[in-house]
Amino acid sequence: MIAEMVEFMTEGEPQIVPTDGRKIDALILLDRSCDYVTPLCSQVTYQGVLDDVFKIKSGFLDLDPSVTGKDAPVKLLLNSAADSVFAEIRDKHFVSVFGNLQKKARELQSSYSRGKSSASVQEMKKFVQELGGLKQQHRSLGIHIAACEAITNLKSVQNFERTLRTEHLLLENLEEKLCVEHIEELIHMQSSPIVPLRLLCLLSQTENGVKSRVLQSLRHQFLQAHGYHHLNTFYNLKCAGLLLEEGGQKGSYNLLRRKLQLVPKSGDQYDLQNPTDMAYVFSGAYTPISCRLVEEVLRRGGWLGLEEVTRH
């Protein structure tokens, strides 16, 4: 059906050929319902954290003077082709971003020093030609450092590390009582309603629904803290299949976790500075279901051997 739609939409249009000569060998379409868990986890890559904290709008990042220290708001285009600093750090785990920015700062300092010590006219001309790009990198570097500082301060206030630890426990199906207690604390803090709701939905997805008494208690506390207009929120989450009572949804996560090896074995060391697989996007605690499915299909050359997984 999708192939027919693509044919219809491109009928009469000139054929687009990639300039690098590469071709698309396969198109794998996955319905979002096969992986609700992944979008419920906190983003920890640099670009993901930027979006969580500042909200990326149409490829632009708007930063207040309180973040940049400038007199007016800064509008930054997040474009890897135009911003070499962003290109290097956009997909890095946030813990490694400061190290990369420090390295970039030293490289810029070295470039300026070489320019000042240029002995010949040719060397000076080359430096002048490069100066525009260096100034752009310098500006971009300052903005990204300021953004990182603001994010670090905000995450410490929000107790982000504990929220992340709660997510990891849920993904491993451990310490449910401890996780519920943290959700209650977040509700009582009355900061962002999104974080406790997201954790509650993650609890539902990883535990085959939330125990009835637990869900009723958390819902009551949430409505008391954030207002009864959120009754619609809970209704919509239920209709979307994101937040259900125990037994109200198929228990597929535990099976997928084992069959697809989504969670590393306890005690495994993970180097976030030099990651070797896609689990780094969630601090090495979890491999996205959708990504693992694609990886398995490509490795096997099809769905053969994944029948039990696809049934869920």
Side-chain angles (χ1 to χ4, degrees):
M1 183 178 71
I2 299 295
E4 291 175 356
M5 290 174 62
V6 171
E7 265 187 43
F8 175 76
M9 292 172 65
T10 57
E11 189 176 357
E13 297 289 332
Q15 186 178 9
I16 300 175
V17 180
T19 54
D20 57 8
R22 291 183 297 178
K23 294 182 179 179
I24 297 175
D25 294 322
L27 174 65
I28 300 175
L29 300 175
L30 298 174
D31 190 87
R32 170 46 67 195
S33 62
C34 79
D35 183 11
Y36 282 141
V37 172
T38 299
L40 292 173
C41 297
S42 294
Q43 302 184 79
V44 287
T45 59
Y46 179 61
Q47 186 173 10
V49 175
L50 282 180
D51 188 43
D52 272 348
V53 175
F54 301 112
K55 305 303 177 189
I56 298 172
K57 299 175 183 177
S58 302
F60 283 91
L61 190 68
D62 293 314
L63 298 174
D64 294 333
S66 60
V67 175
T68 62
K70 298 184 180 298
D71 296 331
V74 171
K75 197 179 190 71
L76 180 67
L77 174 63
L78 297 177
N79 185 340
S80 297
D83 185 349
S84 61
V85 176
F86 179 63
E88 290 184 23
I89 62 176
R90 60 176 296 177
D91 297 322
K92 299 282 187 183
H93 191 283
F94 189 72
V95 299
S96 67
V97 170
F98 265 121
N100 280 270
L101 291 176
Q102 288 175 339
K103 179 183 176 183
K104 192 67 178 177
R106 287 194 294 268
E107 290 175 357
L108 281 176
Q109 183 63 45
S110 176
S111 296
Y112 280 124
S113 298
R114 284 199 306 272
K116 290 178 181 179
S117 61
S118 297
S120 67
V121 174
Q122 290 299 323
E123 288 177 346
M124 181 58 70
K125 284 180 64 178
K126 183 180 179 182
F127 173 70
V128 170
Q129 290 172 353
E130 295 174 350
L131 190 58
L134 292 175
K135 286 183 177 179
Q136 174 61 31
Q137 289 183 47
H138 187 272
R139 174 181 177 275
S140 176
L141 184 64
I143 293 173
H144 287 298
I145 289 175
C148 283
E149 289 177 338
I151 290 168
T152 301
N153 294 334
L154 181 63
K155 293 297 184 183
S156 63
V157 171
Q158 294 179 343
N159 202 357
F160 179 69
E161 288 299 323
R162 188 175 174 196
T163 297
L164 208 59
R165 177 59 183 156
T166 299
E167 287 181 15
H168 295 174
L169 290 173
L170 290 172
L171 292 167
E172 296 176 45
N173 295 118
L174 298 173
E175 302 286 355
E176 181 182 344
K177 182 180 178 182
L178 195 64
C179 295
V180 171
E181 288 175 357
H182 182 55
I183 295 173
E184 287 178 328
E185 288 179 18
L186 289 171
I187 292 172
H188 298 157
M189 286 170 64
Q190 295 187 357
S191 50
S192 167
I194 299 298
V195 179
L197 279 177
R198 184 168 52 76
L199 289 175
L200 186 52
C201 289
L202 186 59
L203 173 64
S204 174
Q205 294 299 314
T206 56
E207 293 288 347
N208 188 26
V210 184
K211 292 182 178 69
S212 180
R213 60 179 177 79
V214 173
L215 180 56
Q216 288 179 18
S217 173
L218 290 174
R219 180 168 52 205
H220 176 73
Q221 293 176 65
F222 187 91
L223 295 175
Q224 288 281 342
H226 295 285
Y228 279 85
H229 62 283
H230 279 292
L231 278 169
N232 280 339
T233 303
F234 280 90
Y235 176 74
N236 290 333
L237 290 173
K238 179 181 178 180
C239 291
L242 289 170
L243 180 57
L244 299 172
E245 286 189 11
E246 190 176 44
Q249 62 192 59
K250 293 187 296 183
S252 60
Y253 173 74
N254 284 329
L255 181 141
L256 294 175
R257 178 169 61 86
R258 294 192 303 271
K259 293 289 184 181
L260 297 176
Q261 299 179 342
L262 302 178
V263 177
K265 295 178 181 178
S266 179
D268 284 359
Q269 297 295 317
Y270 201 90
D271 185 2
L272 296 176
Q273 303 285 346
N274 302 290
T276 55
D277 63 65
M278 65 188 97
Y280 88 94
V281 299
F282 293 116
S283 301
Y286 163 74
T287 301
I289 297 172
S290 48
C291 296
R292 183 69 90 197
L293 281 173
V294 172
E295 181 184 49
E296 287 296 312
V297 168
L298 294 176
R299 185 174 68 85
R300 297 166 185 262
W303 295 97
L304 188 63
L306 294 171
E307 292 81 6
E308 187 176 5
V309 169
T310 54
R311 282 199 297 270
H312 295 80

